[in-house]
């Protein structure tokens, strides 16, 4: 047995919520790597003598019977996902496949050193485990549904067999702002595009151009905040540079997740040694222009140039380079349309999250979102037409439906009333542009009534992610109040 690690979160309240959150942070649980955390949840169910279900996608359902006297209340589904976005700072040696997170406390906030925290959505799982083991709450029958691979296209929820669930009241805890009840969300898809390229040997000095310092963020909740996309900027830089000097493109890479606005894109160029100063001047000019264009929203954009070598290298054939730049200059990106019904709501958007120049093709991966199905399909068609026109291939992964607004929602009414009773003010009731698994559950479970909520988090999907300790406590108290009210209802 290895030495037991010291707890960082011991003493925080609610004690059991933070105990389980820290336990989860010790287990690697990035998207696509969820077997260990899924098995941990099954072992929890066994240890607490609760029935459970685990499927081939590592989704887990843990069932707790109703408290005495609450047997007639309708079953309630508590839901969140156990996978996290894995981002780390440049130079970090953290290995998300085997290392736990290094937690720290800063005032009222928890963060992880040099990495994402996974508060999205580890705190939901911690809430569920604390509720499932509690002896102090009056509860209806609970189905705790923990899904997987939400961050890479809601894949776990899409694979889930809805027949395993009896409940038709669902509390989704995958929102990041206390005081907001989410009641509708956009549908989406991941657009995969591959453009064949040819290479030829070139000679010259090899210069690495890096676009960095961007704010980034979540491509659903922050796509409207006028933040730059480093992949799109790379295409613009290459286009503008072609008017100033000759160059060949050897490497191009930016972004790690389709649903995260990319913060860094790197290009490796081959140039004539006598034109180094022109390249540096263009990088400086580009930086100055971008900081002016994104003043107030992305002031830290920086374009740097560094020599990495010289000699022969396989670079893009001029025709392939032209197609690559054309693709990046004409690819739609960002907000495409605002909602005409709900003020301030993004209806349709696109985020080019991943860009990678492979030896024989350019790979691009984009997150497409819309609360209107036909608009989502139209944007997908536009991408397919663009890449097809250039001789490339297109396919869709992880498509999921929108979660439509429910005019009459007993759950929403109850949660508004309980929020007002606890906080002394009404919560905001909103639709969001980000994708939630509720859309898939709404499609699978006839008659479903669901609401999404959660504690305050900042900068999710980035290494600056923070989770508010006091908000976690208040939100847990709110969850318990709602569950106790639901336990009094009659089926």
């Amino acid at each position: 047995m290895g030495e037991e690690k010291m707890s960082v979160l011991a003493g925080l309240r609610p004690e059991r919520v933070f105990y389980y959150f820290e336990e989860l942070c010790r287990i690697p649980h990035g998207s696509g790597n969820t077997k260990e955390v899924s098995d941990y949840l099954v072992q929890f169910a066994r240890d607490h003598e609760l029935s459970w279900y685990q499927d081939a996608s590592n989704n887990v359902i843990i069932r707790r019977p109703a408290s005495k006297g609450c047997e007639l209340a309708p079953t309630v589904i508590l839901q969140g996902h156990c996978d996290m976005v894995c981002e780390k700072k440049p130079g970090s040696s953290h290995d998300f496949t085997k290392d736990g997170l290094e937690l720290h406390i800063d005032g009222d906030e928890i963060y992880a050193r040099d990495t994402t925290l996974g508060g999205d959505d580890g705190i939901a799982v911690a809430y569920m485990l604390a509720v499932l083991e509690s002896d102090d709450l009056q509860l209806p029958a609970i189905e705790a549904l923990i899904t997987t691979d939400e961050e890479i296209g809601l894949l776990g929820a899409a694979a889930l067999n809805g027949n395993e669930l009896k409940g038709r009241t669902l509390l989704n805890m995958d929102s990041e702002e206390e005081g907001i009840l989410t009641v509708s969300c956009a549908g989406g898809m991941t657009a995969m595009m591959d453009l064949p390229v040819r290479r030829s040997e070139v000679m010259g000095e090899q210069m690495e151009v890096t676009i960095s310092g961007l704010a980034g963020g979540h491509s659903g909740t922050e796509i409207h905040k006028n933040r730059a996309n480093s992949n799109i900027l790379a295409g613009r830089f290459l286009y503008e540079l072609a008017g100033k000097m000759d160059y060949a493109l050897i490497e191009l890479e930016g972004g790690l997740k389709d649903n995260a606005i990319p913060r860094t894109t790197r290009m490796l160029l081959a140039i004539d040694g006598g034109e180094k100063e022109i390249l540096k001047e263009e990088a400086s000019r580009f930086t100055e222009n971008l900081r002016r264009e994104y003043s107030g929203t992305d002031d830290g954009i920086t374009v740097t140039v560094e020599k990495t070598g010289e000699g022969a290298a396989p670079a893009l054939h001029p025709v392939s380079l032209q197609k690559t730049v054309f693709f990046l200059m004409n690819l739609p990106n960002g907000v495409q349309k605002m909602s005409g019904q709900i003020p301030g709501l993004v209806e349709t958007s696109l985020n080019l999250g991943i860009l990678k120049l492979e030896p024989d093709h350019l790979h691009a991966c984009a997150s497409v979102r819309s609360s209107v199905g036909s608009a989502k399909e139209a944007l997908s068609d536009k991408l397919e037409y663009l890449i097809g026109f250039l001789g490339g291939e297109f396919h869709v992964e992880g498509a999921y439906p929108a979660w439509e607004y429910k005019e009459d929602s007993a759950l929403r009414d109850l949660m508004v009333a309980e929020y007002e009773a606890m906080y002394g003010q009404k919560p905001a009731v909103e639709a969001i542009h980000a994708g939630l698994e509720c859309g898939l559950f709404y499609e699978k479970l006839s008659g479903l009534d669901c609401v999404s909520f959660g504690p305050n988090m900042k900068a999710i999907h980035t290494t600056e992610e923070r989770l508010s300790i006091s908000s976690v406590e208040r939100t847990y108290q709110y969850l318990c109040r709602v569950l106790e009210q639901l336990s009094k209802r009659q089926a």
Side-chain angles (χ1 to χ4, degrees):
M1 294 279 296
E3 184 178 344
E4 188 171 337
K5 292 185 178 180
M6 292 288 291
S7 171
V8 175
L9 308 185
L12 300 184
R13 300 179 62 183
E15 180 184 352
R16 297 306 286 174
V17 171
F18 283 113
Y19 168 80
Y20 282 117
F21 183 71
E22 190 162 13
E23 285 284 290
L24 292 168
C25 289
R26 288 174 174 154
I27 304 170
H29 58 285
S31 302
N33 182 36
T34 56
K35 183 66 168 73
E36 185 177 354
V37 71
S38 179
D39 289 345
Y40 170 85
L41 297 170
V42 169
Q43 189 58 50
F44 169 92
R46 287 175 173 147
D47 292 343
H48 292 79
E49 298 182 344
L50 299 173
S51 65
W52 55 274
Y53 166 81
Q54 182 184 40
D55 67 12
S57 297
N58 296 323
N59 295 310
V60 173
I61 300 171
I62 303 175
R63 304 181 181 92
R64 171 182 165 145
S67 301
K68 187 175 181 180
C70 304
E71 294 86 352
L72 297 181
T75 298
V76 173
I77 304 170
L78 300 181
Q79 193 272 321
H81 61 88
C82 64
D83 63 308
M84 65 174 284
V85 169
C86 295
E87 293 276 3
K88 61 183 181 180
K89 292 182 178 179
S92 170
S93 61
H94 186 89
D95 185 344
F96 282 105
T97 66
K98 63 182 182 181
D99 297 336
L101 305 178
E102 186 179 322
L103 301 184
H104 293 272
I105 298 173
D106 179 16
D108 184 51
E109 296 179 334
I110 301 169
Y111 68 96
R113 180 176 178 268
D114 293 341
T115 69
T116 38
L117 173 65
D120 173 19
D121 195 24
I123 196 62
V125 180
Y127 279 155
M128 284 187 268
L129 299 185
V131 166
L132 288 169
E133 74 166 18
S134 175
D135 294 325
D136 301 326
L137 298 172
Q138 285 292 107
L139 298 171
I142 298 290
E143 292 175 324
L145 169 59
I146 302 102
T147 51
T148 57
D149 297 340
E150 188 270 353
E151 300 290 6
I152 52 175
L154 316 184
L155 303 184
L160 183 75
N161 181 355
N163 295 331
E164 292 292 333
L165 295 165
K166 295 180 181 178
R168 291 300 182 269
T169 298
L170 189 149
L171 301 178
N172 169 279
M173 295 172 286
D174 192 16
S175 293
E176 295 87 35
E177 189 170 351
E178 185 182 1
I180 295 178
L181 304 182
T182 302
V183 295
S184 176
C185 74
M189 64 176 69
T190 301
M192 311 290 282
M193 295 162 281
D194 291 289
L195 177 66
V197 298
R198 289 189 295 143
R199 291 179 180 263
S200 56
E201 198 89 343
V202 297
M203 294 290 295
E205 296 199 14
Q206 295 171 16
M207 308 294 292
E208 185 173 83
V209 180
T210 304
I211 301 174
S212 63
L214 284 70
H218 189 286
S219 68
T221 58
E222 293 168 311
I223 197 70
H224 63 291
K225 294 183 177 179
N226 195 36
R227 295 180 180 177
N229 180 309
S230 61
N231 289 336
I232 296 297
L233 294 184
R236 177 176 160 184
F237 179 81
L238 292 172
Y239 174 80
E240 293 183 11
L241 186 64
K244 305 290 185 178
M245 57 179 284
D246 292 329
Y247 67 87
L249 181 62
I250 303 169
E251 297 176 6
L252 173 62
E253 182 175 8
L256 297 172
K257 308 288 181 183
D258 69 286
N259 60 357
I261 302 170
R263 305 167 72 180
T264 303
T265 300
R266 184 184 66 84
M267 298 162 274
L268 185 63
L269 308 180
I271 68 170
D272 182 278
E275 296 191 307
K276 279 190 296 187
E277 290 307 313
I278 297 177
L279 178 60
K280 290 179 179 179
E281 288 171 6
E282 283 303 298
S284 178
R285 181 192 62 82
F286 199 62
T287 297
E288 183 179 337
N289 286 344
L290 293 177
R291 288 185 177 180
R292 184 170 56 252
E293 291 173 26
Y294 289 93
S295 176
T297 59
D298 231 333
D299 300 297
I301 300 174
T302 302
V303 184
T304 58
V305 176
E306 181 182 358
K307 180 178 177 179
T308 61
E310 59 182 300
L316 289 189
H317 183 278
V319 173
S320 293
L321 175 59
Q322 187 176 28
K323 286 185 176 183
T324 295
V325 175
F326 182 91
F327 172 72
L328 293 174
M329 286 291 289
N330 287 278
L331 184 77
N333 191 77
V335 175
Q336 302 298 298
K337 184 175 181 295
M338 300 298 290
S339 172
Q341 294 180 315
I342 303 175
L345 177 68
V346 178
E347 177 200 282
T348 306
S349 77
L350 171 74
N351 175 64
L352 179 60
I354 300 173
L355 189 65
K356 179 69 183 294
L357 183 58
E358 303 286 359
D360 61 352
H361 70 280
L362 175 71
H363 175 68
C365 179
S367 177
V368 177
R369 304 175 190 269
S370 183
S371 52
V372 178
S374 59
K376 182 179 73 173
E377 294 303 322
L379 186 51
S380 173
D381 289 344
K382 182 177 287 190
L383 299 180
E384 185 172 14
Y385 193 16
L386 173 61
I387 195 70
F389 181 81
L390 295 172
E393 297 182 352
F394 175 91
H395 74 276
V396 168
E397 293 182 358
Y400 55 93
W403 168 25
E404 297 180 6
Y405 178 76
K406 189 179 177 73
E407 289 287 344
D408 299 312
S409 168
L411 177 62
R412 180 180 68 237
D413 294 344
L414 181 151
M415 293 185 70
V416 168
E418 283 303 306
Y419 188 93
E420 190 170 7
M422 177 176 165
Y423 288 86
Q425 62 186 37
K426 289 185 179 294
V429 178
E430 296 184 356
I432 63 168
H433 186 57
L436 287 172
E437 293 163 301
C438 299
L440 286 162
F441 303 137
Y442 192 78
E443 188 176 59
K444 292 173 185 279
L445 306 175
S446 177
L448 184 68
D449 194 1
C450 52
V451 171
S452 179
F453 66 105
N456 289 331
M457 299 181 218
K458 295 189 297 191
I460 63 168
H461 297 186
T462 79
T463 56
E464 309 307 313
E465 182 180 357
R466 299 292 187 271
L467 173 65
S468 167
I469 296 167
S470 59
S471 182
V472 166
E473 181 174 17
R474 289 190 299 269
T475 303
Y476 184 66
Q477 292 170 351
Y478 176 59
L479 168 64
C480 293
R481 286 180 65 118
V482 169
L483 289 173
E484 291 194 328
Q485 289 300 314
L486 289 171
S487 75
K488 298 174 183 178
R489 294 194 166 192
Q490 301 291 305

